[in-house]
Amino acid sequence: MSKTRYPAPTLEQVPEDIRARILEVQEKSGFVPNVFLALARRPAEWRAFFAYHDALMVPETAGRESGLSKGDREMIVTATSAANDCLYCVVAHGAILRIYEKKPLVADQVAVNYRKADITPRQRAMLDFAMKVCLRAQEIEDADFEALHAHGFSDEDAWDIASITAFFGLSNRVANFSSMMPNPEFYLMGRVPRQK
């Protein structure tokens, strides 16, 4: 595996507000995901990135509700990141997807071919829309929204699906050009019981 092109700062080198957030993540997960330090080389961008990330992936922090579950959001990230050939995001978000959905096989299935994955018809419709946004956003039309509505998604849910797809398109490209590699811990998360 190649090494990252941009060395990450150490935890001691990052501003205090960023360090505090990273330590919270480390406390919860037991390790520091590489993305947190990799992006901390540019503190203003780190803050903007994670503010938008949280608004999309943890909407309650932005004071709004969403028709998407946590598993749905991670499924969108995993499927579209696979389409963008982003190793970091497929592995990291696939791990979170396995945990939220409580299905050890789902992330691999979604990353390789979501149409054959063990997911609901509603999730398949969601991923159809996400993949079209990912690969052919200029072709989105009323029929695409109608397909979502048929599965109970609102126009606001469609916005969430599209925004998550677009945001992680940015993330995929940064991870790819910088050669950001997933932490080894992600590979087993949600596949085997967590070590205590």
Side-chain angles (χ1 to χ4, degrees):
M1 285 188 200
S2 63
K3 293 186 179 183
T4 184
R5 289 186 180 90
Y6 296 90
T10 65
L11 199 52
E12 295 73 29
Q13 294 172 316
V14 302
E16 182 55 40
D17 62 314
I18 294 174
R19 182 171 36 255
R21 172 77 187 275
I22 292 172
L23 289 173
E24 285 176 24
V25 170
Q26 182 179 34
E27 173 79 19
K28 185 175 178 181
S29 66
F31 65 99
V32 177
N34 290 338
V35 66
F36 283 89
L37 284 174
L39 297 183
R41 62 188 310 280
R42 293 191 170 190
E45 291 176 27
W46 189 99
R47 292 180 187 102
F49 180 92
F50 283 104
Y52 195 29
H53 171 279
D54 292 352
L56 292 172
M57 300 302 281
V58 194
E60 55 274 15
T61 63
R64 68 179 185 82
E65 293 182 19
S66 173
L68 304 181
S69 70
K70 291 178 180 179
D72 290 341
R73 290 186 206 107
E74 296 298 340
M75 194 174 289
I76 293 164
V77 178
T78 303
T80 60
S81 294
N84 290 326
D85 295 322
C86 182
L87 177 65
Y88 186 93
C89 291
V90 169
V91 172
H93 290 275
I96 301 167
L97 170 60
R98 288 190 297 272
I99 291 167
Y100 285 152
E101 291 291 304
K102 296 177 177 46
K103 291 181 175 180
L105 307 180
V106 71
D108 296 332
Q109 294 171 352
V110 165
V112 174
N113 184 351
Y114 74 91
R115 290 176 187 89
K116 302 218 183 271
D118 181 20
I119 59 177
T120 67
R122 181 180 184 273
Q123 289 170 323
R124 191 166 288 110
M126 173 188 76
L127 292 182
D128 285 341
F129 187 81
M131 292 300 284
K132 191 166 183 181
V133 170
C134 179
L135 302 172
R136 303 181 323 278
Q138 72 281 5
E139 296 176 16
I140 293 288
E141 57 191 0
D142 289 346
D144 298 303
F145 286 87
E146 291 163 11
L148 287 178
H149 295 160
H151 289 276
F153 289 105
S154 69
D155 284 349
E156 291 303 312
D157 297 332
W159 184 285
D160 285 343
I161 295 165
S163 294
I164 291 166
T165 300
F167 175 77
F168 279 93
L170 174 146
S171 181
N172 298 157
R173 285 155 179 81
V174 171
N176 276 334
F177 89 76
S178 67
S179 295
M180 191 184 306
M181 299 306 289
N183 303 64
E185 292 89 342
F186 282 125
Y187 287 91
L188 295 181
M189 285 172 57
R191 295 185 197 275
V192 295
R194 187 173 178 179
Q195 300 296 319
K196 295 187 182 203

